[in-house]
Amino acid sequence: MPTSQTTSRAAIPSVDRLLQQPALRQLQAHAGRQLVIDEVRGELADLRRRLGAGERLADGSTDEQILCERVERRVAALLQMSLRPVFNLTGTVLHTNLGRAPLAPEALDAMTQVARGASNLEYDLGSGRRGDRDAHVEDWLCRLTGADAATVVNNNAAAVLLLLNTLAQRREVPVSRGELIEIGGSFRLPEIMRRAGCRLVEVGTTNRTHEADFAEAIGPRTAALMKVHTSNYVVQGFTAELDERRLADLAHRHELPMVVDLGAGSLIDLTTLGLPAEPTVRDTLLAGADLVTFSGDKLLGGPQAGLIAGRADLIAKLKRNPMKRALRLDKTTLAALAATLRLYARPEDLAERLPTLRLLSRPVAEIRALAERLQPVLQQAVGDLAAVSIEPCGSQIGSGSLPIETLTSTALVLRPATAKRRTGAALKHLATAFRGLPIPVIGRIADDALHFDLRCLEDEQALTAQLAQLRLG
Ligand SMILES: *Cc1c(COP(=O)(O)O)cnc(C)c1O
């Protein structure tokens, strides 16, 4: 029976009394006084609420030392960064929820250099006058895509919004019914079009769209013809679509611009790295597109950004839209993008220096060797809770790129050593423990097992060093 002494409200120490404890005095000095006061109040309020609800508290629940420790844990949890690094062992390289492209060291350096102090962000060092922040990337974007001009905004969704709002507000844009995409839940082309103030004219059918369908849709209110790269699905079977060249020719015969939302938009021919083919920005422009939009943090391997390349007069129009000001990039992102683009000057070692391409083209023998080194280490870490095996798997590029093509890879697969009916709970328990590590390890649960695709694991040491802290109890 609990003693009335330890569980009654009277036994709860006062806020002031707790704050006088040496441990909490020290904590106030390094974590901030108000934060500690708030957490002491929070902890004591919790205790009173539980007592008030008639809960029987364990002996010692109101001990000052135990309360101090609880407050210390609360403060530590608040001070820990919420946004932090994880190991992406999901098998999806460009994982939107896990931050997409990892940046090259050159990009990281460039970011910290400009973040530390003043920079010539919008200042022309030649003339000493006000400059244009796009100038830091425009020339390189043009070189790498063959475009006459280029501009950048916060992400590709913003690029599409700016483009449509500038060229097609209160006017119509025909798009094939086979290309009305939704990306990652929140980017839905019809909704972006509505928000951009333009009217979507659906043409053709889901599986087949012909030139005549587009030709019929063109009228006095048409502002542009648009093509959207169906990056996260494929329409297979009895299909027909208009390629860029024919759509561009049709648009130009009607003196309309043809615009393409390319999504991932690679700057190089990925097949040279043994990867599946993706349309390049250059080829899309060569096929006649007047403007192309694509992401900075997908196949390009840079920071989150939306890039628009194409005709100089249209780019100038986009830059005059006040929306551009609201969607512009900050200096650290611009610096990272500028440094990333410069890596493309030497395509021969790009796959080594640009982490995204390095991970995507990583030889399976290397991944397999890594799996063989890690298997015994991981088996020891999970003990008899699960059997750890090495299995072939297929990594996804992710971010809507090439949904059906996978890259041959190797996974460590954890199969719980429990009765079949309790596998689900055991898997959840294992996955939670790995997510609870100082650098959380994120895998994928499938076929009654927890899969860790090792393609994206480069810092093997950092992973193994923390396994002793795995809390499976
Ligand atoms: C990814 C993607 C987008 C959205 O790009 P964000 O950079 O995530 O804003 C838009 N269109 C297509 C075709 C895409 O693949």
Side-chain angles (χ1 to χ4, degrees):
M1 205 184 110
T3 65
S4 56
Q5 201 53 16
T6 52
T7 55
S8 77
R9 274 162 185 266
I12 300 179
S14 72
V15 172
D16 281 338
R17 201 177 151 77
L18 274 187
L19 288 173
Q20 290 310 318
Q21 296 292 311
L24 291 198
R25 282 163 68 147
Q26 245 180 27
L27 189 62
Q28 288 174 75
H30 92 253
R33 195 173 124 75
Q34 194 58 47
L35 185 61
V36 178
I37 294 174
D38 290 346
E39 292 317 297
V40 166
R41 287 200 178 120
E43 182 60 33
L44 297 184
D46 276 358
L47 209 53
R48 270 185 232 107
R49 193 174 32 73
R50 289 169 62 194
L51 279 175
E55 208 177 306
R56 270 174 53 169
L57 302 180
D59 277 353
S61 294
T62 55
D63 281 2
E64 287 174 14
Q65 197 195 330
I66 286 177
L67 286 171
C68 283
E69 282 165 14
R70 293 180 64 90
V71 169
E72 281 172 324
R73 278 201 295 277
R74 289 171 76 118
V75 169
L78 282 167
L79 288 178
Q80 181 179 45
M81 283 294 286
S82 153
L83 179 59
R84 58 206 170 103
V86 303
F87 283 108
N88 170 13
L89 305 190
T90 60
T92 299
V93 179
L94 293 169
H95 198 300
T96 297
N97 304 141
L98 302 183
R100 290 195 189 157
L103 295 180
E106 289 83 352
L108 301 176
D109 285 349
M111 290 177 95
T112 47
Q113 296 269 356
V114 299
R116 201 168 283 129
S119 64
N120 61 333
L121 178 63
E122 288 185 356
Y123 184 81
D124 183 340
L125 291 174
S127 67
R129 294 216 194 90
R130 180 164 194 260
D132 175 1
R133 67 176 65 204
D134 285 1
H136 302 292
V137 290
E138 183 169 11
D139 177 58
W140 272 97
L141 276 173
C142 291
R143 278 168 195 277
L144 297 170
T145 62
D148 293 329
T151 185
V152 278
V153 286
N154 189 49
N155 54 24
N156 189 33
V160 174
L161 182 71
L162 177 67
L163 181 154
L164 290 170
N165 179 263
T166 310
L167 302 186
Q169 195 175 22
R170 286 186 290 276
R171 294 175 67 195
E172 296 174 352
V173 178
V175 182
S176 164
R177 287 201 169 86
E179 299 176 357
L180 297 177
I181 58 163
E182 172 179 306
I183 308 269
S186 53
F187 178 92
R188 306 179 98 189
L189 193 69
E191 281 166 19
I192 295 273
M193 284 210 157
R194 216 170 9 255
R195 291 291 172 161
C198 73
R199 204 170 87 76
L200 164 68
V201 179
E202 299 181 19
V203 305
T205 60
T206 307
N207 57 330
R208 291 174 74 83
T209 299
H210 305 278
E211 183 164 339
D213 298 324
F214 269 102
E216 245 168 62
I218 297 175
R221 302 205 59 76
T222 308
L225 299 188
M226 184 173 193
K227 190 165 173 63
V228 183
H229 184 50
T230 56
S231 38
N232 56 3
Y233 64 97
V234 284
V235 182
Q236 272 182 322
F238 185 56
T239 64
E241 63 168 327
L242 229 59
D243 65 26
E244 280 83 357
R245 193 170 296 279
R246 281 174 58 211
L247 192 64
D249 286 348
L250 177 67
H252 298 158
R253 280 202 298 281
H254 289 85
E255 290 179 4
L256 294 170
M258 196 283 265
V259 299
V260 180
D261 173 16
L262 210 46
S266 181
L267 292 180
I268 59 157
D269 177 2
L270 291 181
T271 60
T272 60
L273 299 178
L275 295 169
E278 264 280 298
T280 66
V281 180
R282 183 184 290 275
D283 288 345
T284 309
L285 288 167
L286 278 176
D290 297 284
L291 286 179
V292 177
T293 66
F294 55 107
S295 294
D297 56 352
K298 291 186 182 172
L299 289 172
L300 193 146
Q304 179 191 302
L307 293 75
I308 313 174
R311 245 169 66 190
D313 60 325
L314 298 179
I315 294 288
K317 244 177 146 173
L318 299 192
K319 291 174 80 152
R320 284 197 299 272
N321 186 336
M323 221 183 233
K324 165 71 165 67
R325 169 66 171 72
L327 302 173
R328 73 185 185 183
L329 282 189
D330 85 299
K331 61 188 175 187
T332 55
T333 310
L334 265 172
L337 182 59
T340 304
L341 293 175
R342 279 160 176 76
L343 296 179
Y344 282 83
R346 292 211 322 255
E348 61 275 15
D349 59 13
L350 195 57
E352 216 175 291
R353 297 167 75 204
L354 194 65
T356 297
L357 294 183
R358 181 170 68 232
L359 294 175
L360 288 173
S361 63
R362 196 171 184 190
V364 67
E366 187 185 313
I367 307 172
R368 169 95 199 176
L370 174 59
E372 275 160 13
R373 285 197 300 279
L374 282 180
Q375 187 275 337
V377 184
L378 210 62
Q379 183 63 76
Q380 203 198 347
V382 298
D384 53 12
L385 279 182
V388 182
S389 58
I390 299 173
E391 295 181 18
C393 69
S395 315
Q396 299 245 348
I397 294 180
S399 274
S401 310
L402 313 146
I404 46 169
E405 313 238 26
T406 58
L407 311 168
T408 310
S409 187
T410 308
L412 286 177
V413 180
L414 282 64
R415 292 183 198 282
T418 41
K420 179 97 180 139
R421 69 191 157 78
R422 291 187 36 216
T423 305
L427 279 174
K428 247 192 197 155
H429 179 70
L430 268 177
T432 306
F434 279 95
R435 284 200 312 273
L437 286 167
I439 306 173
V441 179
I442 320 287
R444 193 172 57 88
I445 291 178
D447 306 325
D448 289 339
L450 177 57
H451 298 247
F452 291 137
D453 181 337
L454 300 181
R455 172 174 296 277
C456 295
L457 177 63
E458 295 204 292
D459 196 348
E460 175 183 353
Q461 192 57 39
L463 176 73
T464 52
Q466 62 171 1
L467 286 180
Q469 296 175 64
L470 196 62
R471 293 241 292 264
L472 294 164

